[in-house]
Amino acid sequence: MSRGSGKGLSLKDKLDGNELDLSLCDLNEVPVRELAALPKATILDLSCNNLISLPSDFCSLMHLVKLDLSKNRLQQLPLDFGRLVNLQHLDLLNNRLVTLPVSFAQLKNLKWLDLKDNPLDPVLAKVAGDCLDEKQCKQAAVKVLQHMKAIQSEQDQQRQRKLQAEREMEKKREAEQRAKEAQERELRKREKAEEKERRRREYDAQKAAKQEMEKRTKKETVHTRKPASSSRPPQPPRHKPSWSRSVLRVLLFVLFCILCTLAACKLTELQHQPLCVSVNTLYEDVVAALQNHKTLQNMLQHNSQQ
Protein backbone atom coordinates (compact mmCIF):
# COMPACT_ATOMS: atom_id res chain seq x y z
CA MET A 1 0.00 0.00 0.00
CA SER A 2 1.49 3.29 -1.10
CA ARG A 3 1.40 6.18 1.30
CA GLY A 4 -1.47 8.62 0.90
CA SER A 5 -3.95 6.41 -0.88
CA GLY A 6 -3.51 3.36 1.27
CA LYS A 7 -3.46 1.09 -1.79
CA GLY A 8 -0.69 -1.43 -2.56
CA LEU A 9 0.15 -2.31 1.04
CA SER A 10 -1.03 -5.68 2.32
CA LEU A 11 -3.05 -5.07 5.48
CA LYS A 12 -2.40 -8.63 6.52
CA ASP A 13 1.24 -7.67 7.02
CA LYS A 14 0.06 -5.03 9.50
CA LEU A 15 -2.29 -7.37 11.32
CA ASP A 16 -1.08 -8.72 14.63
CA GLY A 17 -3.67 -10.99 16.13
CA ASN A 18 -6.78 -8.87 16.30
CA GLU A 19 -4.87 -5.57 16.17
CA LEU A 20 -4.29 -3.66 12.91
CA ASP A 21 -1.87 -0.77 13.15
CA LEU A 22 -2.16 1.80 10.33
CA SER A 23 -0.75 4.72 12.28
CA LEU A 24 1.91 6.99 10.80
CA CYS A 25 1.08 5.81 7.28
CA ASP A 26 0.40 9.31 5.94
CA LEU A 27 -3.12 8.23 4.96
CA ASN A 28 -5.54 10.69 3.36
CA GLU A 29 -8.26 8.07 2.99
CA VAL A 30 -9.34 5.05 4.97
CA PRO A 31 -9.10 1.73 3.02
CA VAL A 32 -12.59 0.66 4.07
CA ARG A 33 -12.91 -2.16 1.53
CA GLU A 34 -9.66 -3.78 2.66
CA LEU A 35 -10.60 -3.32 6.32
CA ALA A 36 -13.99 -4.94 5.73
CA ALA A 37 -12.12 -8.00 4.42
CA LEU A 38 -10.47 -8.40 7.84
CA PRO A 39 -13.37 -8.84 10.28
CA LYS A 40 -11.09 -10.26 12.96
CA ALA A 41 -9.22 -6.93 13.16
CA THR A 42 -11.33 -5.59 16.02
CA ILE A 43 -8.66 -3.11 17.15
CA LEU A 44 -7.80 -0.46 14.56
CA ASP A 45 -5.18 2.26 14.96
CA LEU A 46 -5.44 5.12 12.41
CA SER A 47 -3.68 7.75 14.52
CA CYS A 48 -1.18 10.27 13.20
CA ASN A 49 -2.42 10.38 9.61
CA ASN A 50 -3.88 13.11 7.38
CA LEU A 51 -7.54 12.09 7.58
CA ILE A 52 -9.93 15.03 7.11
CA SER A 53 -13.11 12.95 7.03
CA LEU A 54 -14.31 9.37 7.18
CA PRO A 55 -16.26 7.87 4.28
CA SER A 56 -19.88 6.96 4.92
CA ASP A 57 -19.17 3.26 4.41
CA PHE A 58 -16.66 3.37 7.29
CA CYS A 59 -19.65 2.82 9.58
CA SER A 60 -20.09 -0.64 8.03
CA LEU A 61 -17.02 -1.82 10.02
CA MET A 62 -19.28 -2.94 12.84
CA HIS A 63 -16.74 -5.49 14.07
CA LEU A 64 -14.54 -2.72 15.52
CA VAL A 65 -14.21 -2.74 19.30
CA LYS A 66 -11.35 -0.27 19.74
CA LEU A 67 -10.68 2.65 17.39
CA ASP A 68 -7.89 5.19 17.56
CA LEU A 69 -8.37 8.27 15.34
CA SER A 70 -6.24 10.65 17.36
CA LYS A 71 -3.96 13.27 15.82
CA ASN A 72 -5.70 13.59 12.49
CA ARG A 73 -7.59 16.54 10.99
CA LEU A 74 -11.13 15.22 11.29
CA GLN A 75 -13.73 18.02 11.16
CA GLN A 76 -16.77 15.80 11.60
CA LEU A 77 -17.83 12.18 11.96
CA PRO A 78 -20.30 10.42 9.63
CA LEU A 79 -23.93 10.99 10.55
CA ASP A 80 -24.49 7.26 11.04
CA PHE A 81 -21.41 6.78 13.24
CA GLY A 82 -23.71 5.17 15.78
CA ARG A 83 -23.83 2.02 13.65
CA LEU A 84 -20.52 0.99 15.23
CA VAL A 85 -22.53 -0.53 18.08
CA ASN A 86 -19.70 -2.84 19.25
CA LEU A 87 -17.29 0.02 19.80
CA GLN A 88 -16.01 0.20 23.39
CA HIS A 89 -12.89 2.39 23.15
CA LEU A 90 -12.71 5.57 21.03
CA ASP A 91 -9.81 7.98 20.89
CA LEU A 92 -10.48 11.28 19.07
CA LEU A 93 -7.68 13.29 20.67
CA ASN A 94 -6.33 16.31 18.79
CA ASN A 95 -8.70 16.65 15.83
CA ARG A 96 -10.91 19.50 14.63
CA LEU A 97 -14.27 18.29 15.88
CA VAL A 98 -16.86 20.81 17.06
CA THR A 99 -19.86 18.56 17.53
CA LEU A 100 -20.73 14.88 17.42
CA PRO A 101 -23.47 13.28 15.33
CA VAL A 102 -26.70 12.56 17.19
CA SER A 103 -26.35 8.87 16.29
CA PHE A 104 -23.37 8.85 18.70
CA ALA A 105 -25.97 8.11 21.40
CA GLN A 106 -26.44 4.62 19.92
CA LEU A 107 -22.91 3.55 20.96
CA LYS A 108 -24.36 1.76 23.98
CA ASN A 109 -21.19 -0.34 24.56
CA LEU A 110 -18.82 2.67 24.63
CA LYS A 111 -16.76 2.61 27.87
CA TRP A 112 -13.83 4.92 27.09
CA LEU A 113 -13.69 8.24 25.23
CA ASP A 114 -11.10 10.96 24.73
CA LEU A 115 -12.12 14.27 23.10
CA LYS A 116 -9.28 16.49 24.32
CA ASP A 117 -7.69 19.09 22.07
CA ASN A 118 -10.75 19.57 19.82
CA PRO A 119 -12.55 22.91 19.29
CA LEU A 120 -15.67 21.43 20.86
CA ASP A 121 -18.88 23.26 21.49
CA PRO A 122 -18.63 24.69 25.04
CA VAL A 123 -21.50 22.59 26.33
CA LEU A 124 -20.08 19.39 24.84
CA ALA A 125 -16.56 20.28 26.08
CA LYS A 126 -17.88 20.74 29.62
CA VAL A 127 -19.68 17.40 29.49
CA ALA A 128 -16.66 15.53 28.08
CA GLY A 129 -14.20 16.85 30.67
CA ASP A 130 -10.42 16.54 30.45
CA CYS A 131 -9.87 12.76 30.17
CA LEU A 132 -6.48 12.97 31.94
CA ASP A 133 -6.64 9.45 33.30
CA GLU A 134 -8.49 6.19 32.83
CA LYS A 135 -11.27 7.14 35.22
CA GLN A 136 -11.94 10.51 33.57
CA CYS A 137 -11.99 8.94 30.09
CA LYS A 138 -14.53 6.35 31.27
CA GLN A 139 -16.63 9.11 32.85
CA ALA A 140 -16.35 11.08 29.61
CA ALA A 141 -17.80 8.12 27.71
CA VAL A 142 -20.74 7.84 30.12
CA LYS A 143 -21.45 11.57 30.29
CA VAL A 144 -21.12 12.17 26.55
CA LEU A 145 -23.43 9.25 25.82
CA GLN A 146 -25.99 10.64 28.29
CA HIS A 147 -25.62 14.09 26.75
CA MET A 148 -26.04 12.79 23.21
CA LYS A 149 -29.01 10.67 24.31
CA ALA A 150 -30.59 13.81 25.78
CA ILE A 151 -29.97 15.64 22.51
CA GLN A 152 -31.37 12.71 20.57
CA SER A 153 -34.41 12.57 22.83
CA GLU A 154 -34.92 16.31 22.45
CA GLN A 155 -34.62 16.03 18.69
CA ASP A 156 -36.99 13.08 18.70
CA GLN A 157 -39.44 15.12 20.75
CA GLN A 158 -39.01 18.06 18.40
CA ARG A 159 -39.63 15.77 15.44
CA GLN A 160 -42.65 14.34 17.21
CA ARG A 161 -43.92 17.82 17.99
CA LYS A 162 -43.23 18.89 14.43
CA LEU A 163 -44.93 15.77 13.13
CA GLN A 164 -47.84 16.32 15.51
CA ALA A 165 -48.06 19.96 14.44
CA GLU A 166 -48.00 18.87 10.81
CA ARG A 167 -50.73 16.32 11.54
CA GLU A 168 -52.77 18.93 13.37
CA MET A 169 -52.24 21.33 10.51
CA GLU A 170 -53.22 18.63 8.04
CA LYS A 171 -56.33 17.85 10.10
CA LYS A 172 -57.10 21.56 10.25
CA ARG A 173 -56.66 21.86 6.49
CA GLU A 174 -58.85 18.81 5.97
CA ALA A 175 -61.47 20.22 8.35
CA GLU A 176 -61.33 23.57 6.57
CA GLN A 177 -61.57 21.79 3.23
CA ARG A 178 -64.56 19.77 4.44
CA ALA A 179 -66.17 22.92 5.83
CA LYS A 180 -65.49 24.71 2.55
CA GLU A 181 -66.95 21.83 0.56
CA ALA A 182 -69.97 21.70 2.88
CA GLN A 183 -70.41 25.46 2.49
CA GLU A 184 -70.15 25.14 -1.28
CA ARG A 185 -72.69 22.31 -1.26
CA GLU A 186 -75.02 24.37 0.91
CA LEU A 187 -74.54 27.35 -1.40
CA ARG A 188 -75.28 25.24 -4.48
CA LYS A 189 -78.30 23.78 -2.71
CA ARG A 190 -79.56 27.24 -1.78
CA GLU A 191 -78.94 28.54 -5.31
CA LYS A 192 -80.79 25.54 -6.72
CA ALA A 193 -83.70 26.13 -4.35
CA GLU A 194 -83.75 29.84 -5.27
CA GLU A 195 -83.67 28.98 -8.96
CA LYS A 196 -86.52 26.53 -8.48
CA GLU A 197 -88.49 29.13 -6.53
CA ARG A 198 -87.82 31.70 -9.27
CA ARG A 199 -89.06 29.31 -11.97
CA ARG A 200 -92.13 28.50 -9.85
CA ARG A 201 -92.93 32.21 -9.48
CA GLU A 202 -92.48 32.71 -13.22
CA TYR A 203 -94.78 29.76 -13.88
CA ASP A 204 -97.41 31.11 -11.44
CA ALA A 205 -97.11 34.57 -12.99
CA GLN A 206 -97.52 33.18 -16.51
CA LYS A 207 -100.46 31.08 -15.39
CA ALA A 208 -102.09 34.08 -13.66
CA ALA A 209 -101.49 36.25 -16.74
CA LYS A 210 -103.02 33.59 -18.95
CA GLN A 211 -106.07 33.33 -16.69
CA GLU A 212 -106.37 37.12 -16.59
CA MET A 213 -106.17 37.22 -20.40
CA GLU A 214 -108.89 34.58 -20.66
CA LYS A 215 -111.11 36.51 -18.25
CA ARG A 216 -110.51 39.74 -20.16
CA THR A 217 -111.31 38.01 -23.46
CA LYS A 218 -114.56 36.65 -22.01
CA LYS A 219 -115.50 40.08 -20.67
CA GLU A 220 -114.78 41.72 -24.02
CA THR A 221 -116.87 39.08 -25.81
CA VAL A 222 -119.79 39.62 -23.44
CA HIS A 223 -119.39 43.38 -23.71
CA THR A 224 -119.37 43.15 -27.52
CA ARG A 225 -122.50 41.02 -27.60
CA LYS A 226 -124.53 43.16 -25.20
CA PRO A 227 -124.57 46.43 -27.26
CA ALA A 228 -125.51 44.51 -30.41
CA SER A 229 -128.48 42.98 -28.66
CA SER A 230 -129.48 46.27 -27.02
CA SER A 231 -129.28 48.32 -30.25
CA ARG A 232 -131.34 45.79 -32.21
CA PRO A 233 -135.10 46.60 -32.31
CA PRO A 234 -137.36 44.27 -30.48
CA GLN A 235 -137.80 41.12 -32.47
CA PRO A 236 -141.27 39.71 -33.02
CA PRO A 237 -142.10 36.53 -31.28
CA ARG A 238 -140.48 33.47 -32.68
CA HIS A 239 -143.84 31.77 -33.45
CA LYS A 240 -144.75 34.26 -36.22
CA PRO A 241 -141.74 33.55 -38.50
CA SER A 242 -142.33 29.87 -37.89
CA TRP A 243 -146.06 30.20 -38.93
CA SER A 244 -145.15 32.18 -42.10
CA ARG A 245 -142.67 29.53 -43.12
CA SER A 246 -145.29 26.87 -42.53
CA VAL A 247 -147.87 28.71 -44.72
CA LEU A 248 -145.21 29.18 -47.42
CA ARG A 249 -144.37 25.52 -47.30
CA VAL A 250 -148.08 24.62 -47.63
CA LEU A 251 -148.48 26.98 -50.61
CA LEU A 252 -145.39 25.56 -52.28
CA PHE A 253 -146.65 22.06 -51.69
CA VAL A 254 -150.07 22.99 -53.17
CA LEU A 255 -148.37 24.61 -56.17
CA PHE A 256 -146.22 21.55 -56.64
CA CYS A 257 -149.31 19.36 -56.55
CA ILE A 258 -151.05 21.59 -59.10
CA LEU A 259 -148.04 21.47 -61.40
CA CYS A 260 -147.84 17.72 -61.07
CA THR A 261 -151.57 17.41 -61.80
CA LEU A 262 -151.29 19.76 -64.74
CA ALA A 263 -148.35 17.85 -66.12
CA ALA A 264 -150.20 14.58 -65.71
CA CYS A 265 -153.30 15.96 -67.44
CA LYS A 266 -151.27 17.42 -70.30
CA LEU A 267 -148.78 14.72 -70.96
CA THR A 268 -150.44 11.44 -70.03
CA GLU A 269 -153.49 9.50 -71.13
CA LEU A 270 -155.45 11.00 -68.23
CA GLN A 271 -156.06 14.18 -70.22
CA HIS A 272 -159.43 12.80 -71.45
CA GLN A 273 -160.65 12.21 -67.95
CA PRO A 274 -163.30 14.68 -66.70
CA LEU A 275 -161.04 15.99 -63.95
CA CYS A 276 -158.17 16.57 -66.35
CA VAL A 277 -160.53 18.23 -68.84
CA SER A 278 -161.58 20.71 -66.16
CA VAL A 279 -157.94 21.27 -65.18
CA ASN A 280 -156.87 21.85 -68.77
CA THR A 281 -159.76 24.28 -69.35
CA LEU A 282 -158.84 26.19 -66.20
CA TYR A 283 -155.21 26.26 -67.31
CA GLU A 284 -156.08 27.67 -70.73
CA ASP A 285 -158.37 30.32 -69.17
CA VAL A 286 -155.59 31.40 -66.81
CA VAL A 287 -153.10 31.59 -69.68
CA ALA A 288 -155.52 33.66 -71.77
CA ALA A 289 -156.17 36.00 -68.86
CA LEU A 290 -152.44 36.44 -68.37
CA GLN A 291 -151.99 37.19 -72.07
CA ASN A 292 -154.84 39.73 -72.03
CA HIS A 293 -153.27 41.30 -68.96
CA LYS A 294 -149.95 41.52 -70.79
CA THR A 295 -151.61 43.08 -73.84
CA LEU A 296 -153.30 45.68 -71.63
CA GLN A 297 -149.96 46.51 -69.99
CA ASN A 298 -148.35 47.04 -73.39
CA MET A 299 -151.17 49.35 -74.54
CA LEU A 300 -151.00 51.41 -71.37
CA GLN A 301 -147.26 51.71 -71.72
CA HIS A 302 -147.60 52.80 -75.35
CA ASN A 303 -150.19 55.52 -74.46
CA SER A 304 -147.98 56.80 -71.65
CA GLN A 305 -145.03 57.14 -74.00
CA GLN A 306 -147.15 59.23 -76.46
Side-chain angles (χ1 to χ4, degrees):
M1 179 175 65
S2 62
R3 295 184 181 278
S5 64
K7 297 180 180 179
L9 178 65
S10 176
L11 297 185
K12 292 182 180 180
D13 297 337
K14 296 282 187 178
L15 184 62
D16 183 10
N18 63 343
E19 296 184 14
L20 181 60
D21 187 1
L22 296 179
S23 63
L24 300 170
C25 291
D26 197 24
L27 295 177
N28 297 319
E29 299 177 359
V30 178
V32 177
R33 186 173 299 178
E34 290 82 356
L35 292 174
L38 298 173
K40 69 176 184 178
T42 57
I43 299 175
L44 177 61
D45 188 354
L46 290 170
S47 62
C48 302
N49 282 293
N50 298 316
L51 300 177
I52 298 176
S53 63
L54 299 178
S56 60
D57 55 351
F58 180 84
C59 301
S60 64
L61 304 176
M62 298 175 62
H63 60 278
L64 295 178
V65 175
K66 183 176 180 179
L67 177 61
D68 189 351
L69 291 169
S70 62
K71 297 181 181 179
N72 279 280
R73 294 184 293 169
L74 295 174
Q75 298 179 5
Q76 61 183 7
L77 298 178
L79 294 178
D80 56 348
F81 193 81
R83 290 176 59 192
L84 303 175
V85 292
N86 294 314
L87 198 61
Q88 298 179 13
H89 184 107
L90 179 60
D91 193 346
L92 293 171
L93 170 70
N94 194 12
N95 277 279
R96 300 178 181 179
L97 298 173
V98 177
T99 60
L100 297 175
V102 179
S103 64
F104 200 92
Q106 300 173 13
L107 301 177
K108 57 183 180 180
N109 293 314
L110 189 65
K111 302 294 188 297
W112 193 96
L113 176 63
D114 188 358
L115 287 172
K116 291 192 307 296
D117 299 330
N118 281 280
L120 296 174
D121 177 80
V123 176
L124 180 59
K126 183 178 180 180
V127 171
D130 293 331
C131 189
L132 298 176
D133 54 32
E134 189 74 10
K135 181 179 179 180
Q136 288 182 350
C137 291
K138 289 182 178 180
Q139 289 178 350
V142 174
K143 291 180 179 180
V144 169
L145 282 179
Q146 291 177 348
H147 176 69
M148 298 309 297
K149 286 180 181 179
I151 292 176
Q152 186 182 47
S153 177
E154 178 63 25
Q155 289 187 356
D156 290 341
Q157 291 178 3
Q158 289 179 357
R159 281 194 296 269
Q160 289 295 329
R161 287 194 293 268
K162 183 178 179 181
L163 182 61
Q164 184 66 24
E166 290 177 353
R167 290 175 180 174
E168 293 294 333
M169 184 63 66
E170 182 65 22
K171 288 181 180 179
K172 184 178 180 180
R173 284 195 296 266
E174 290 178 356
E176 290 176 352
Q177 182 65 24
R178 287 194 296 269
K180 183 179 179 181
E181 292 175 355
Q183 186 177 3
E184 290 177 353
R185 286 196 300 270
E186 184 64 24
L187 180 61
R188 288 194 297 268
K189 184 178 179 181
R190 186 164 59 250
E191 290 177 350
K192 186 177 180 180
E194 291 175 355
E195 177 64 18
K196 184 176 181 180
E197 180 64 19
R198 184 185 63 79
R199 292 200 305 268
R200 188 189 65 79
R201 289 197 300 268
E202 289 180 355
Y203 172 78
D204 292 343
Q206 292 175 358
K207 187 175 180 181
K210 184 177 180 181
Q211 292 176 352
E212 183 65 24
M213 182 65 69
E214 291 177 354
K215 290 180 181 179
R216 187 180 303 172
T217 303
K218 289 181 180 179
K219 289 181 180 181
E220 290 177 354
T221 303
V222 173
H223 182 71
T224 303
R225 288 179 179 177
K226 284 183 177 179
S229 59
S230 61
S231 60
R232 190 180 303 146
Q235 297 292 328
R238 289 290 179 180
H239 66 276
K240 291 184 179 180
S242 299
W243 178 80
S244 300
R245 283 196 295 270
S246 300
V247 172
L248 182 59
R249 290 174 183 172
V250 172
L251 292 176
L252 290 174
F253 178 74
V254 171
L255 180 59
F256 176 74
C257 293
I258 294 173
L259 292 175
C260 291
T261 302
L262 182 60
C265 291
K266 283 287 187 181
L267 302 176
T268 63
E269 296 178 353
L270 297 176
Q271 60 184 341
H272 300 294
Q273 295 296 325
L275 179 59
C276 287
V277 172
S278 299
V279 172
N280 290 332
T281 302
L282 179 60
Y283 172 73
E284 292 175 357
D285 291 342
V286 170
V287 171
L290 290 174
Q291 289 178 351
N292 291 332
H293 180 66
K294 187 176 181 180
T295 302
L296 182 59
Q297 284 183 346
N298 291 334
M299 290 176 63
L300 291 172
Q301 185 177 4
H302 180 68
N303 291 331
S304 61
Q305 288 178 357
Q306 289 179 353

